[in-house]
Amino acid sequence: AFARESFGSWPIGIPSPSSPQYTAYTFFGNGCLEGRQSVSTGFNTQTVTFGDFRALQILGSPLSDSRKTCSVGITVTPENGAQYRIVSVQAQGQSFAQAAGATSEITVSYFAFGSSITGQLNNKLKSDINGPFDLTNATPQNLQASPWTPCNLGSKVFTVNTNLRVSTRTNVKPVFFLNNLILHWERRGC
């Protein structure tokens, strides 16, 4: 059995285990422009950087411009005897509501193939948020709800679904950009 790893800390005197292999990334949705995403991987984090993931509402634009989605499929190959999960999600971007009555909303849900549990970040930004934001779902309740990969079943796909929405009841032109989605991972023995 392995000791539990969380957010990069590791007990002194115990060798750090190998990290899982992330063998493939698949992007799809109307917010994922082809070739505009990149992924960087650290010891227990992955940062998905979006080139132009934005929702906006301007006069005459189709409704689809105000609702954008991007799903990321991450193929994870755990070492034998280990499980992995996303313990928290951090979303970074900018919201420009410009006036009262406008809202921006982000929803991020994630699950492991074969698990019935879904983790989630859901946040609605009111019109007083103009400029950068940094949101996270790192709470004890969300930690308990985060799904693990099944034990000893080979490669599994984690799916991370991200939805951006803007709305307004006035003539303002809200714009909502998502720049980075940071996934924090954890491992444990089976």
Side-chain angles (χ1 to χ4, degrees), residues 153-175:
L153 292 177
S155 297
K156 290 293 165 207
V157 175
F158 264 89
T159 301
V160 181
N161 298 315
T162 306
N163 299 291
L164 301 182
R165 284 184 154 194
V166 293
S167 61
T168 183
R169 290 182 228 110
T170 64
N171 288 333
V172 299
K173 300 171 185 165
V175 181

Side-chain angles (χ1 to χ4, degrees), residues 44-190:
N44 62 354
T45 61
Q46 286 180 311
T47 302
V48 180
T49 301
F50 298 97
D52 193 20
F53 189 8
R54 63 183 167 159
L56 57 95
Q57 186 172 1
I58 58 175
L59 190 60
S61 66
L63 182 61
S64 60
D65 284 353
S66 66
R67 298 176 179 173
K68 296 292 183 175
T69 64
C70 184
S71 295
V72 182
I74 304 168
T75 303
V76 180
T77 304
E79 62 196 281
N80 283 335
Q83 292 179 284
Y84 293 87
R85 70 177 176 173
I86 298 171
V87 290
S88 69
V89 174
Q90 185 177 353
Q92 300 171 332
Q94 293 112 41
S95 178
F96 300 101
Q98 300 178 351
T103 59
S104 303
E105 184 175 359
I106 182 170
T107 303
V108 181
S109 59
Y110 48 95
F111 59 92
F113 180 82
S115 174
S116 61
I117 302 171
T118 301
Q120 189 162 336
L121 163 69
N122 191 348
N123 208 307
K124 186 176 281 192
L125 304 176
K126 302 292 185 192
S127 58
D128 59 344
I129 303 293
N130 277 301
F133 64 84
D134 191 344
L135 307 169
T136 185
N137 68 342
T139 65
Q141 295 83 6
N142 283 330
L143 181 62
Q144 293 299 322
S146 293
W148 291 96
T149 58
C151 278
N152 301 321
L153 292 177
S155 297
K156 290 293 165 207
V157 175
F158 264 89
T159 301
V160 181
N161 298 315
T162 306
N163 299 291
L164 301 182
R165 284 184 154 194
V166 293
S167 61
T168 183
R169 290 182 228 110
T170 64
N171 288 333
V172 299
K173 300 171 185 165
V175 181
F176 191 42
F177 292 95
L178 181 61
N179 299 333
N180 297 312
L181 196 60
I182 303 169
L183 311 172
H184 298 274
W185 293 83
E186 182 178 51
R187 76 180 294 286
R188 73 176 180 188
C190 292

